[in-house]
Amino acid sequence: MSDEWYDSCSASVIQLELDTLADDQGYFRMSFGFDLKPLIDSIDATGLLNLPVVWEQDGRVHVVSGYRRVLALREIGRQKVECRAIPTSTSKARCMLLNFHDNLPTRPLNQVEKAMTCSRLASLIPRREVIDRYMPALGLSSHDKTLEL
């Protein structure tokens, strides 16, 4: 992969107050219709194993990956969280693809999540690339009409 791709070694580990994260954490989010209890139980039992990834843009800190982890930490009353902060020079498209590649191998996405993902990807990268590369990875047929749905 090219030098501009996310490299976890180049991300800084920082500690943030949970309430400093942007309120509209939905842009990179790929989660819909989920139960936080299993994640809360996991964090209670073992701690936070995978740090959320954040990106600062226009004076706001956005969750790129780890939206559900942040919600779970808020639910259990945590005030702070360690995060991996990726460079501010990272494009919005790279952030979305980072989230895509973080989520896809770890859990199945439901139909709403697949639609959210396709819509956001199509707003950031060429439509043809979404159809040819990312829709098949989601188990969707590679057709314009499918993307339109």
Side-chain angles (χ1 to χ4, degrees):
M1 294 203 158
S2 69
D3 292 343
E4 61 192 49
W5 189 245
Y6 168 76
D7 177 1
S8 63
C9 297
S10 70
S12 305
V13 176
I14 61 172
Q15 188 168 51
L16 293 173
E17 298 281 334
L18 281 168
D19 62 2
T20 63
L21 297 173
D23 288 332
D24 62 343
Q25 293 303 314
Y27 193 81
F28 301 112
R29 177 175 57 127
M30 296 174 78
S31 298
F32 179 83
F34 54 88
D35 178 10
L36 274 181
K37 182 158 178 26
L39 183 55
I40 290 170
D41 292 345
S42 173
I43 292 171
D44 281 341
T46 62
L48 185 63
L49 298 176
N50 296 307
L51 302 181
V53 176
V54 296
W55 174 68
E56 187 175 349
Q57 193 69 27
D58 300 323
R60 298 173 61 198
V61 180
H62 301 272
V63 175
V64 171
S65 183
Y67 172 77
R68 293 185 303 160
R69 285 170 266 168
V70 167
L71 288 181
L73 290 168
R74 284 181 174 159
E75 184 73 24
I76 60 178
R78 296 268 180 94
Q79 302 298 311
K80 296 180 180 185
V81 61
E82 279 194 343
C83 300
R84 291 193 187 284
I86 59 176
T88 57
S89 61
T90 306
S91 71
K92 214 173 194 182
R94 292 281 184 201
C95 290
M96 188 64 202
L97 289 170
L98 186 152
N99 188 340
F100 178 86
H101 290 293
D102 184 45
N103 276 281
L104 195 61
T106 59
R107 66 183 183 89
L109 301 182
N110 64 43
Q111 295 303 319
V112 173
E113 292 168 329
K114 289 177 183 182
M116 290 167 49
T117 301
C118 288
S119 175
R120 291 189 183 125
L121 285 171
S123 74
L124 297 169
I125 62 175
R127 182 180 177 89
R128 190 80 252 158
E129 186 176 349
V130 174
I131 292 168
D132 293 342
R133 185 171 186 181
Y134 298 106
M135 289 175 57
L138 291 166
L140 300 171
S141 60
S142 298
H143 300 290
D144 283 313
K145 295 233 184 248
T146 304
L147 182 56
E148 289 171 18
L149 285 172

